[in-house]
Amino acid sequence: MTFNIYDFTSFNRWIDEGLNSIMSPTWALITEMAIIGIVFLLFYAIVGLFLVYAERKVCAFMQNRVGPNRVGPYGIFQTIADFIKLLMKELVYIKDSDKLLFNIAPFIVIIASFMALSAVPFAKGLHAIDFDIGILYVIAVSSLGVVGILLAGWSSNNKYSLIGAMRSGAQIVSYELSVGLSLLTIIVLAGTMQFSEIVEMQRNGWFIFKGHIPAIIAFIVFLIASTAETNRGPFDLAEAESELTAGFHTEYSGIKFAFFFLAEYMNMFLVASIAATVFWGGWMPFHVSGWAGFNTIMDYIPPLVWYFGKTAFIIWLMMLFKWTFPRLRIDQLLTLEWKYLLPINLVNILFMAFLVLMHWHF
Amino acid sequence: MNSFFRYFSDIFHGVKSLLIGMSVTGRYFFSPGQIVTQQYPENRKNLQMFERFKGEVIMLHDINNQHRCNGCGICENNCPNGSIEIISARITGEDGKSKRIIDKHIYHLGMCTFCGLCVKNCPSNALGFGNEFEHAVFDRSKLNKVLNQPGSSIIKGVE
Amino acid sequence: MKEIINLPVSKIEEEEYHINMGPQHPSTHGVLRLLVSLQGEIVKSLKPHCGYIHRGIEKMCEKDTYPQVIHLTDRMDYLSAHINNHAVCLLVEKALEIEVPERVKYIRTIMDELTRIQSHQLWWSSFGMDLGGLTCFFYGLRDREMILDIWEETTGSRFLQSYNCPGGVMQDIHPNFQKKVHAFIKTFKKKIKDYDRILSGNVIFENRSQGVGILSKEDAISYGVTGPSGRGSGWSCDIRKIEPYSMYGQVHFNEVLRYECDTYSRYMVRMQEMHESMNIIEQLIDNIPAGDHSAKMKAVIKLPAGEYFQRVESARGELDVYVVSDGNKTPYRMKFRTPSFTNLGVLDHISRGMKIADLVAIGASLDLVIPDIDR
Amino acid sequence: MSAESLILFFIVGAFLVGIALLFSSLVPPTSTNSQKAEAYECGIPTEGITWLQFNVGYYLFAIIFLVFDVETVFIFPWAIMMKSMGMTAFIEIIIFFFVLGVGLLYAWKKGALKWE
Amino acid sequence: MFEGVPVHWFLVLATTMFFIGIYGFLVRKNLITMLMSLELILNSVCINFVAFNKILFPEHLEGMFFTLFIIAVAAAEASVAIAIIINIYRRLVNIDVEKMNEMKY
Amino acid sequence: MDNDSLKARILEIVPEAQQEENKQYLTILVPAAKLHDLALKMKSTTDLAFDYLICLSGVDYGKQLAVVYHINSILQKHTVVIKVKTDDRINPSFDTVSDIWRTAEFHEREAYDMFGIRFNNHPDLRRIFLEEDWKGYPLRKDYVDEVNIVEF
Amino acid sequence: MTNNQFMFLVFSVVIVVFSLLTVTSRRILRAATFLLFVLVSTSGLYFLLRFNFLAAIQLTLYAGGIVVLIIFSILLTSHISEKLAVPPVTKRIYAAIAAIAGAVLCILTILQTQFVQKTLDPARVHIRTIGEGMLSTGKYGYALPFEVISVLLLAAMIGSIILAKKRKD
Amino acid sequence: MKEKDFRDNETLELFKRSGGNVLMTSIDAVIDWGRSNSVWPLTFATSCCGIEMMATGASRHDFARFGIEVYRASPRQADVIVVAGTIVNKMAPVLKRLYDQMSEPRYVIAMGACAVSGGPFYYNSYHVVRGVDQIIPVDVYIPGCPPRPEALLYGIMQLQRKIKLETITRPEESMIMGRK
Ligand code: SF4
Ligand code: SF4
Ligand code: SF4
């Protein structure tokens, strides 16, 4: 059994067969699940911690600072220290708050982002679930997260939280449409929703190149809309510091607050991976049809590198947004979605459909 | 029709201005040479305060542990917020006359606003500003200092 | 269906509720408390509650001698400490009829303008931060450090220097002063372009500030909104032009006026004032005449009995000192008419009907410094 | 492996949060005082009940969103088939979009897309 | 048979849910909670359709499509219903069925 | 307008007014009852056009409490100081000018807070800096407060 | 017990318990949250039946759409300390009797009916099949409903906007 | 920076002893490492010192190197309240409430002469609280008016040293350190 970093299918089969040969199928399944669960949990934690650290470093560099650098080399353990601190912090309960909902809210937020992550393909054969409805599944699951935010805002019994929750509720549901529609544009081009197929179809050219103008428009719209959907700046009205102190999680302390924090970053990671997968070919190397030599060189770069490279780039873009722009006002935010992004998106889908009809795509 | 075109030109200008903004932060991101951060505790050795920096009021002592303060109390009177207390003593000098000398020149660092009036108005230039700034303590009483060092005496001929 | 549509209308949508912004709130830049009546997210009215940093400076001044007062005026509007001191010193000199040396006038004017730039830089930073552009905060403060360095070298403190004193300044300028000011102006002229790129021209910023918080010229005068905020409404209220003091009569500069009357115009006035200030400094910095850094003063300063009034232009607007003296070494009554205090008065008026997010922008555009309000 | 693994992810997510919450509600130091459980409002005691009075602005968007959301999910099957079905699908979607566009225009004209 | 789960199980589940919904609809007085009970009822019907489709007629997709359209209709219904509820609330500051009757006349 | 003609114009409106000694500005003491009337005329008359109230200060002259108005005309570029005094230290009160110059609203609240001077018809006369239940008026010369003040 | 049976039981227990809580909880937002759980586990049931598309739609529209709308309206109309009034005991008893009687009746009928269960089990309904069904115009084609839905939604939207828009009266 | 370079080691020794010489376990070490390297301040600034606090957070001095850049506007999420500026009588109850509403563990830094002792407003003022330690327990005093950013950084490091003495096994003991 050779282990191949370019194709994990055989690796999976190897594990599967190995487990099945030493135990009953039920137990094999359970063990497999346990392995997947632990792996994803670790992955989730590591990505979360790393993203928080990365954001701090990136914004520091944009602002001519150095950022955390005193805990470990280059401060890489900074977020671990934060995590330990937060874990050891008292949880405050507010009088007259609805304790049940107050506690459920972080669960919903985290579970939604965690479940959505399960459909992301990291490399060939390296994904937990490969639905035929992949994209729709991700949209469906991540649309649950907003419930957590609404519950958090309402159950805190705090005016700021309530305003923040209402704002982010309206914002997230609005931008969900644009996220869905911009992905639809690519689905029209691809003719499938399954992530593995989508990636496979980009073997000889990523969709953003294949679908040229409409795909680029869709990508930009997706980037804007998904930034808004994850409640990140410049769309961070829900926690607009200068207006609502900390928005919907004003009353959350310690680890509960950390979960909202974490969910924000995980959602960012999620949308970045979706964007990378759908528009930029996921783990697929950069290929130019006809340049065989070039393509083989590109093939030598492992898919995981490609995948994380693209994701990191998109995350960097989103950070650049956050650290450059002032925040929008709520009415401008909704105007942007309903009067600009949505109509553009609808026309863009038709445009793409037309393109597909005429076979004008590459 | 006009508003229709405005719709698109708005989008265009908006996107353009956003890109310009992003170019600024992006440029700084890629030029780490522009980082201005001073790494304080690490650079402690070569961290040089400006010579006039007002970190704390000190009494100037020479190598013989002698200072110029005669306990006249002018600084105490000039201090706008009572950061200085003079406790003077009377001694009998060699010539037999009793004269006033400084016993304790008490300085409340925790109250001083570094206005410089005491230094400026001291008739015998006994005071000055020190460059020390690392004053943080756990116990507030540590901030009350006696400026004339133990065992110090006044330079001859100043009074 | 008909019945449902035609049910009697309740007043539920008109009901207001109140929300506290401050005293501990990131957008009030200190401890101002605004009790905002909201209808939805629309501001119906707001009541400023001040006094959370009222330290009784006017009372304390009555117990302090004139040189000692300086250290209190520093702490009133700490962002234009030099200008506050300047006002008191001018008043004392006027009352004693002392002519200060030319050199002092030059130094004071340069220091005042540096103060103005520094204050506007900090204002720009916090304006950006209030609107959510966090990076602005760092850029503004980064460039402000250069001015602080210049000051620290000469005066020994970063920004509460107590540098002016009746009759002159405490110490002569440092030999590096001119060189550093030149370097600063050179660098800052480049950096201020970044400010424009990142904020002034930004479409989000324009949308958030244009047409927000309209303050007409009449209202500005009636409410006594001076300084850049008043000039953003087209009111020519620059004391440097109206009653020139120190070197302002001799230098050439434009009074920046804009007529859009909104947050954006108040913003632009300040941005252009930074250019004007640099202009003034450039005119003066190379020509500082030689001389003493202070006029000869008596050891104890006593103002002749009478009443004195001195107007200066601080970074936020008109700062007036009113002194009633009974001939003692301490003032009998000392009153400061601080710009932030009067500017605060208009906040309710111009933020009505705006959204709560606009309130933050408006508050930032008035550039309130809370200890300046409360004294 | 689909439903089962979804449950798995659900459980793992819940486990992550649950364990952390449990840990941190038991271990860290606590203190009580009369103010701690009060709602935070910039350091001033809250006035009245935490009650945002009726704010129709947000909710209109939720309604329009719901309608559009239905339409979006109905486009998904079409989007998949677009490539293989060609012209028929294109015409069908043009009709669909036309109706949708009318809806959007109506909402726009009615001012329902204006937040107030 | 769907790999060991008989169709009866589904039907029992759906029935239980249906009558829970009925109970809620009868007992509740708040319009929004009534709406929620209604959603329960609709949902139970959907489960029925799907189960029938899957277990009894797996060769066609009618049950699924019906469910699909039920969901769409439910969404439309919910949005109109809530619009009405909100409208009532704005006028009467109340969404209790009983109190509404009092106030109307 | 120069100070003499200003004085003449004001004396026209309020004949009882007296001039006070001041090197800088024309200072005029008016009876409290005439204050509001004078202020209104000063603002609305075109040749006076005092549209900008620079500063409003309360002063405690020992026996008397006074309010000093520094008023400026932007158009005519002249400044005048109007003073009103009262002997009543228990319940001093003047008419408000906040309906004429809106900026007076805050200044008057400050004067009320610090000196206890009441302003009739003021829209919202509350303490501005101190708590509502604060005892005494700190800027008065006879203010004593053993609890809070540490004498130097 | 097979895997499927086990999963089914888990889901149905969740559904029944939370349905009951939905109709009995006295806090309205809690009721809505429980409803969310019911709907999510229903979608789990659909996943179990390999109707992935349907399950995802259930999640998006029901859980992510309708419930969010309901929560929004709750946020607008009720306050956190409000509790729903307990309905009178008699009413509750009558309703419970009616519901239980109906349920028992139905369940008995169901259990007595023999259904012809097909053993044929197409591994999964692929999304393509759904797409074809939805767009084709023949028998088992749903092109017409597909278009009609859009009109229905248009009507719903116009209706709700008319109702909800603030009128100046 | 070496231990001996710090000031006021005597008081720290005192704390150690008053903590009853509790054995520091390795768990304590880990927790204290986390806590001391991640003290998130509350955005709380009343006057001039607040500007220096902002300057400390800005590029030149960069708080963030210590992991402190996460300014939280809500006291529930903050660990340290840096009292930067004068506290007056009217503000005192607010400050007390903010402190009360913070979640444990919480620390207080008194920054500047005003917070330490009332500073320039100690005498003759009728409305100034003479030192915040009259209202809330203070962990570290940083004199200066205003303390320069490096001084604040130094104060933070002092606080970190103090946090490192805490132990979770006997929390009440670590509470003794300077707090009642
Ligand atoms: S320091 Fe100077 S002023 Fe003070 S007592 Fe000594 S000699 Fe006098
Ligand atoms: S510097 Fe000023 S405040 Fe400090 S001791 Fe000297 S006179 Fe007093
Ligand atoms: S200590 Fe000095 S700088 Fe700090 S707040 Fe007090 S007066 Fe201002």
Side-chain angles (χ1 to χ4, degrees), chain C residues 7, chain E residues 24-35 37 85 88-89 92-105, chain G residues 84-85 87 91:
Chain C
L7 283 171
Chain E
F25 196 77
L26 292 178
V27 166
R28 294 284 191 163
K29 283 182 298 187
N30 185 305
L31 279 175
I32 293 181
T33 38
M34 285 170 77
L35 183 70
S37 312
I85 293 174
I88 292 173
Y89 178 79
L92 304 182
V93 201
N94 206 308
I95 39 174
D96 247 328
V97 208
E98 289 174 0
K99 294 206 186 115
M100 245 165 60
N101 280 335
E102 291 163 20
M103 292 184 73
K104 208 157 126 193
Y105 306 106
Chain G
L84 298 175
K91 191 174 175 183

Side-chain angles (χ1 to χ4, degrees), chain C residues 47-52 54 58-60 62-64 68 94-95 97 221-226 235-236 242-243 304 307-311 318 320 322 324 331-338 341-342 344-345 349 373-375, chain F residues 20-25 27 43 51-62 68 70 72 74 79 81 83 100-107 109-110 114-115 124 126 128-130 137-141 143 149 151-152:
Chain C
K47 278 203 182 120
H49 287 235
C50 352
Y52 288 93
H54 174 68
E58 287 177 7
K59 177 89 175 173
M60 293 174 71
E62 292 173 12
K63 299 271 165 58
D64 280 354
Q68 287 178 342
K94 189 160 75 185
E97 288 167 357
I221 295 173
S222 173
Y223 278 97
V225 180
T226 49
W235 175 22
S236 151
I242 298 173
E243 290 182 14
E307 304 190 358
Y308 308 96
F309 195 76
Q310 176 64 44
R311 303 170 77 182
E318 174 174 350
D320 302 337
Y322 171 57
V324 180
Y332 182 77
R333 161 92 169 105
M334 197 156 195
K335 151 102 183 176
F336 298 98
R337 181 256 190 226
T338 49
F341 181 66
T342 44
L344 173 70
H349 176 71
I373 298 172
D374 287 355
R375 280 158 281 153
Chain F
E20 274 200 8
E21 185 66 21
N22 190 318
K23 280 187 205 141
Q24 197 174 0
Y25 298 121
T27 307
K43 171 148 188 206
D51 45 2
Y52 172 35
L53 175 67
I54 304 174
C55 184
L56 186 160
S57 342
V59 182
D60 179 4
Y61 282 107
V68 184
H70 287 80
N72 172 267
I74 292 160
T79 309
V81 181
K83 240 187 224 183
I100 303 167
W101 299 288
R102 297 302 304 273
T103 181
E105 186 178 331
F106 267 44
H107 279 108
R109 276 180 69 187
E110 190 196 339
M114 294 296 143
F115 293 93
D124 182 26
R126 286 175 296 124
I128 188 167
F129 293 141
L130 302 173
Y137 302 102
L139 279 188
R140 286 197 186 184
K141 289 287 168 187
Y143 177 75
I149 292 187
E151 288 285 342
F152 187 36

Side-chain angles (χ1 to χ4, degrees), chain H residues 42-105:
Chain H
L42 182 72
T43 41
F44 180 81
T46 62
S47 54
C48 358
C49 279
I51 302 293
E52 280 302 57
M53 191 164 86
M54 280 157 73
T56 319
S59 313
R60 171 81 162 278
H61 301 284
D62 198 14
F63 241 36
R65 290 178 294 121
F66 297 78
I68 315 184
E69 83 267 43
V70 195
Y71 273 94
R72 299 307 313 169
S74 161
R76 316 282 182 196
Q77 296 148 12
D79 305 303
V80 62
I81 179 165
V82 181
V83 185
T86 329
I87 298 299
V88 300
N89 286 353
K90 194 171 177 180
M91 191 65 194
V94 179
L95 177 63
K96 176 93 176 99
R97 189 172 296 113
L98 284 177
Y99 178 73
D100 282 348
Q101 290 187 341
M102 283 166 77
S103 59
E104 293 283 346

Side-chain angles (χ1 to χ4, degrees), chain C residues 12-13 15 17 19-20 22-25 33 35 39-41 52 355, chain D residues 40-47 51-56 58 115-116:
Chain C
I12 179 127
E13 280 151 65
E15 263 171 38
Y17 67 101
I19 196 165
N20 274 312
Q24 190 272 124
H25 193 281
R33 173 179 163 210
L35 185 59
Q39 192 182 79
E41 283 202 15
Y52 288 93
K355 300 186 180 61
Chain D
Y40 166 74
E41 199 177 316
C42 291
I44 298 285
T46 332
E47 266 183 36
W51 173 232
L52 272 186
Q53 108 322 330
F54 187 80
N55 192 343
V56 81
Y58 293 116
W115 187 88
E116 48 194 332

Side-chain angles (χ1 to χ4, degrees), chain G residues 25-102:
Chain G
S25 170
R26 283 189 57 205
R27 298 193 188 215
I28 184 160
L29 195 64
R30 282 194 187 177
T33 317
F34 297 142
L35 179 67
L36 174 79
F37 293 156
V38 173
L39 297 175
V40 169
S41 17
T42 312
S43 107
L45 220 51
Y46 295 162
F47 270 121
L48 197 64
L49 289 169
R50 300 290 187 270
F51 280 126
N52 288 348
F53 181 68
L54 193 59
I57 290 213
Q58 167 94 5
L59 274 185
T60 341
L61 289 188
Y62 249 126
I66 297 179
V67 169
V68 170
L69 186 59
I70 288 179
I71 291 181
F72 249 99
S73 56
I74 292 174
L75 256 54
L76 287 174
T77 55
S78 60
H79 170 247
I80 189 162
S81 54
E82 258 173 46
K83 280 194 182 163
L84 298 175
V86 193
V89 186
T90 47
K91 191 174 175 183
R92 269 189 294 170
I93 290 175
Y94 287 142
I97 289 176
I100 291 172

